[in-house]
Amino acid sequence: MRDPYEILGVTKGASPAAVKNAYRKLAKKLHPDTNKQDKKSATKFAELNAAYEIIGDDDKRKAFDRGEIDAEGKPRFRGFEGPGQGAGGGPGGFNQNSHFETFTWGSDGFARGGKRGAGGPRGGLGGGIDDILKEMFGRAGGPGGGGPGAAGGRPQFEQQDFGAAAPGRDVTGAVTITLPEVATGTSRRVLLPTGREIEVKIPAGLADGQTIRLKGQGLPGGFGTAAGDALITVTIAPHPLFEREGANLRLELPVTLYEAVLGGKVRVPTLDGAVELAIPPGTNSGRTFRVKGKGLPSKDGPGDLYATLRIVLPERTDAELDELMRKWRDGKPYDPRRDII
């Protein structure tokens, strides 16, 4: 155990009143019943009590200062001086009638171990640990008050005194990825509300708005309970060319007037590079072609790319095209709307 003076935050020359005051402040701060979210509070509280058992008792404090006992109250070996030769009347100056307590926190809650010397911490401090805790927190030694477990007027620390430990809480985060990253999978660094930054692996084929659960990456629970999870929501940024429909992709493919009339091979963009698509002669605008396997991955296999043709006229007016269209209009008229009007 650490130096009890260090644990209490006092100097070796501190007065008994200063030691008691330091203990009171720290006991109020570290008591497990007021720190249910801190798994280490019970350990810190037990360490504080063990330190006060030594420094808060005149005899034990003097024995510790002389080096006769260690920070846990155990006698230090100082050689064989003969019966009654030491300051405490026992081997090495240690009084063999003195006993020191240990503090543990287990399945049965806060508990004392070993035996106390008569009266506990003494020296004008106004009572031992139990008396101070009773004064501060009530009969049961905790903010929850007393109960039938406080036998004989002394507080009994039991697990129920502190109530059920609060469970860990989930935290949320969000990331945005691109459509090509959906196709291949990716990873992102995410800063959680806890202040921790973690690496999130995003599998291929994830849907927009889907949540990834990372076990144990949330807020910690009370003593002995598991931490919550981190829930990361994935948003997929819009793509300038493709629209997603499940595992399939849709694309509006511009073609020239002469490609639509005469047919030919055109290059079609995909997420992993361009491919060629054969356009038959006389293809109307709005016709859709399927490019197999060029969609997104899924558990049922890769989706497809559906390319819908859109005929685009030249950006500038062309006199020859205008004349040709007038001849077609006058010599070979047709009505594409005859079936809808």
Side-chain angles (χ1 to χ4, degrees):
M1 191 177 79
R2 292 186 296 142
D3 188 298
Y5 286 104
E6 179 184 344
I7 294 171
L8 286 163
V10 297
T11 64
K12 287 190 175 183
S15 67
V19 171
K20 178 181 178 181
N21 187 50
Y23 172 76
R24 287 174 58 89
K25 289 181 179 179
L26 289 172
K28 186 174 182 180
K29 177 182 178 182
L30 298 176
H31 198 288
D33 203 12
T34 59
N35 292 273
K36 293 181 179 180
Q37 300 299 319
D38 185 359
K39 293 181 179 180
K40 297 181 179 180
S41 64
T43 302
K44 295 176 183 177
F45 186 64
E47 185 182 49
L48 174 68
N49 282 308
Y52 186 67
E53 279 288 321
I54 295 175
I55 305 304
D57 183 288
D58 278 351
D59 293 339
K60 296 175 187 177
R61 181 176 181 178
K62 291 176 181 178
F64 176 78
D65 290 344
R66 289 192 298 264
E68 296 167 0
I69 60 175
D70 62 16
E72 295 181 359
K74 298 177 181 178
R76 297 182 186 274
F77 180 73
R78 299 181 59 193
F80 298 97
E81 301 178 7
Q85 297 301 310
F94 177 70
N95 185 347
Q96 59 185 341
N97 293 322
S98 298
H99 301 282
F100 303 97
E101 295 179 297
T102 59
F103 299 84
T104 59
W105 181 267
S107 59
D108 295 327
F110 181 79
R112 298 179 184 273
K115 299 180 180 179
R116 289 175 53 89
R122 298 185 301 277
L125 298 185
I129 289 176
D130 292 347
D131 296 324
I132 295 175
L133 293 178
K134 180 179 178 182
E135 175 189 345
M136 291 171 60
F137 296 125
R139 183 173 177 82
R154 296 178 58 83
Q156 303 295 318
F157 292 92
E158 298 180 359
Q159 192 167 10
Q160 59 265 32
D161 289 339
F162 305 124
R169 287 187 295 159
D170 295 342
V171 297
T172 59
V175 295
T176 300
I177 63 174
T178 64
L179 197 57
E181 289 174 325
V182 175
T184 60
T186 187
S187 63
R188 284 286 192 277
R189 299 291 297 177
V190 178
L191 182 63
L192 298 177
T194 59
R196 182 183 179 189
E197 190 176 48
I198 60 173
E199 185 85 8
V200 180
K201 292 184 178 180
I202 302 172
L206 207 66
D208 184 50
Q210 194 166 340
T211 298
I212 298 174
R213 179 181 290 271
L214 303 176
K215 298 289 290 183
Q217 297 294 333
L219 292 171
F223 184 79
T225 62
D229 302 333
L231 307 177
I232 311 300
T233 301
V234 180
T235 300
I236 301 171
H239 194 277
L241 298 179
F242 303 106
E243 289 187 6
R244 182 179 183 179
E245 291 182 355
N248 298 323
L249 297 175
R250 288 196 174 273
L251 166 70
E252 192 175 73
L253 181 65
V255 295
T256 65
L257 179 60
Y258 53 82
E259 286 172 333
V261 173
L262 302 176
K265 291 184 177 181
V266 298
R267 291 181 65 76
V268 180
T270 72
L271 289 176
D272 59 356
V275 297
E276 283 193 342
L277 175 67
I279 304 295
T283 298
N284 288 317
S285 185
R287 182 174 176 180
T288 299
F289 295 85
R290 184 178 74 159
V291 184
K292 191 173 182 180
K294 290 300 181 180
L296 297 171
S298 72
K299 62 180 180 180
D300 299 322
D304 302 324
L305 170 64
Y306 291 88
T308 300
L309 269 56
R310 176 171 59 90
I311 298 173
V312 179
L313 297 177
E315 294 181 1
R316 296 181 180 179
T317 302
D318 185 281
E320 292 183 11
L321 179 59
D322 292 347
E323 182 61 27
L324 177 61
M325 291 301 99
R326 278 191 289 269
K327 289 181 179 181
W328 269 89
R329 182 191 63 191
D330 297 338
K332 298 179 180 181
Y334 68 100
D335 184 3
R337 295 177 296 278
R338 64 181 181 273
D339 295 330
I340 63 173
I341 298 177

